[in-house]
Amino acid sequence: MHHSLCYLYGGSRPWDAAAWVESSDRVRGGSSEANLEVEGSGTVRFYGTLDTTTLGGAGFASQHSRGIIDLDLSAYDGIAIAVKSSTDGKRYALTLKDCLLPNRDDGREQSTVSWQAEFVPSSAGHVFLSWKAFKPTYRGRDKTDAAPLDIAGIKRIGLMMRSFFDKQYGSFSLEIESIAAYRTTDSIRELHDDDEVTLLGHVEEGHCSKTSDQACEQEKPARRPRAWRRLFCGLL
């Protein structure tokens, strides 16, 4: 089956480690760490250490896009990850957020629903994660009453290694060539201007109309003039 790709990171849009930031269990007193390093070949290595002893079996280590992005992926069927190499056999997760709250008074982020799609890469190649593969979680636990994922308003993309409550731990390493939105052959149609994947510039913060332990509904602030751009689309 053929897939049409629009690159978000990698491919025709070179990786920039400065556009990503770490978020690990150290904010809760844990000891895990995650790194994202651009390799000489233009790929990135997501690696680190997942510790489960400090927090009694819990733990997570992640890197995610910096600030708030605004991606309209409603014309696509999911996310494709091009894996270059992985030999650790661990279960990873790609995470999405469609709502972010302002930071707390102490500077820490408020918790919101994360949508996670799990995968275990066994060899080099593409991993295709359909929208149905993304499940809502809140602070590491399933959230069955979450509102549907707003694929027309993705605010954050991330890579995560989590313990699944002490089921995995230790060092991890995953080399990635690209992350892209994909469409299958059956759903491909001619692209028009309003079908573009749009990436707005980073903004300082957004705000939500509901509290952090409720399903979020983004109230979009006044935006800067849009720099619409067509992302490179190739045929795989």
Side-chain angles (χ1 to χ4, degrees):
M1 180 180 293
H2 293 285
H3 299 84
S4 176
L5 299 179
C6 279
Y7 291 104
L8 307 176
Y9 301 96
S12 62
R13 298 175 59 83
W15 287 94
D16 179 6
W20 291 69
V21 63
E22 182 184 10
S23 176
S24 297
D25 59 27
R26 285 182 288 180
V27 299
R28 301 177 187 172
S31 303
S32 301
E33 63 174 349
N35 305 279
L36 190 81
E37 183 176 293
V38 179
E39 305 281 275
S41 60
T43 62
V44 295
R45 188 163 71 98
F46 173 58
Y47 69 98
T49 303
L50 181 65
D51 172 75
T52 59
T53 58
T54 305
L55 297 178
F60 70 93
S62 72
Q63 286 269 338
H64 62 70
S65 53
R66 187 183 294 273
I68 298 177
I69 60 175
D70 205 341
L71 285 170
D72 182 354
L73 303 181
S74 57
Y76 295 86
D77 297 325
I79 302 292
I81 305 172
V83 175
K84 184 173 182 180
S85 67
S86 176
T87 58
D88 59 19
K90 286 185 165 61
R91 185 189 307 177
Y92 292 82
L94 185 78
T95 63
L96 302 175
K97 281 184 177 287
D98 59 6
C99 182
L100 295 172
L101 290 165
N103 287 347
R104 304 184 333 185
D105 291 341
D106 61 5
R108 293 172 58 183
E109 281 196 352
Q110 296 190 65
S111 297
T112 56
V113 173
S114 291
W115 293 79
Q116 300 182 9
E118 301 167 12
F119 62 100
V120 181
S122 57
S123 61
H126 281 82
V127 177
F128 294 95
L129 304 171
S130 70
W131 299 131
K132 290 182 179 180
F134 289 87
K135 307 301 181 184
T137 64
Y138 182 74
R139 292 184 174 178
R141 298 186 181 277
D142 294 343
K143 186 169 178 59
T144 57
D145 61 346
L149 174 64
D150 179 11
I151 59 175
I154 301 300
K155 304 297 185 288
R156 175 178 290 175
I157 296 177
L159 294 163
M160 177 178 285
M161 167 58 58
R162 52 177 295 198
S163 69
F164 296 97
F165 300 100
D166 216 19
K167 291 183 179 179
Q168 59 182 9
Y169 51 85
S171 61
F172 61 89
S173 179
L174 178 65
E175 192 170 358
I176 298 173
E177 292 181 338
S178 65
I179 297 175
Y182 79 87
R183 287 191 295 178
T184 59
T185 302
D186 292 342
S187 64
I188 292 176
R189 52 189 169 81
E190 184 180 357
L191 281 174
H192 300 284
D193 288 344
D194 58 357
D195 290 329
E196 294 177 357
V197 176
T198 59
L199 176 59
L200 277 65
H202 294 291
V203 296
E204 292 303 318
E205 63 180 28
H207 66 279
C208 298
S209 61
K210 299 183 180 180
T211 58
S212 60
D213 60 350
Q214 295 175 308
C216 285
E217 179 180 345
Q218 184 77 12
E219 292 179 358
K220 297 180 181 178
R223 291 175 173 171
R224 305 168 185 171
R226 293 191 176 193
W228 294 77
R229 65 180 70 175
R230 184 181 299 276
L231 300 181
F232 175 81
C233 291
L235 189 64
L236 177 67

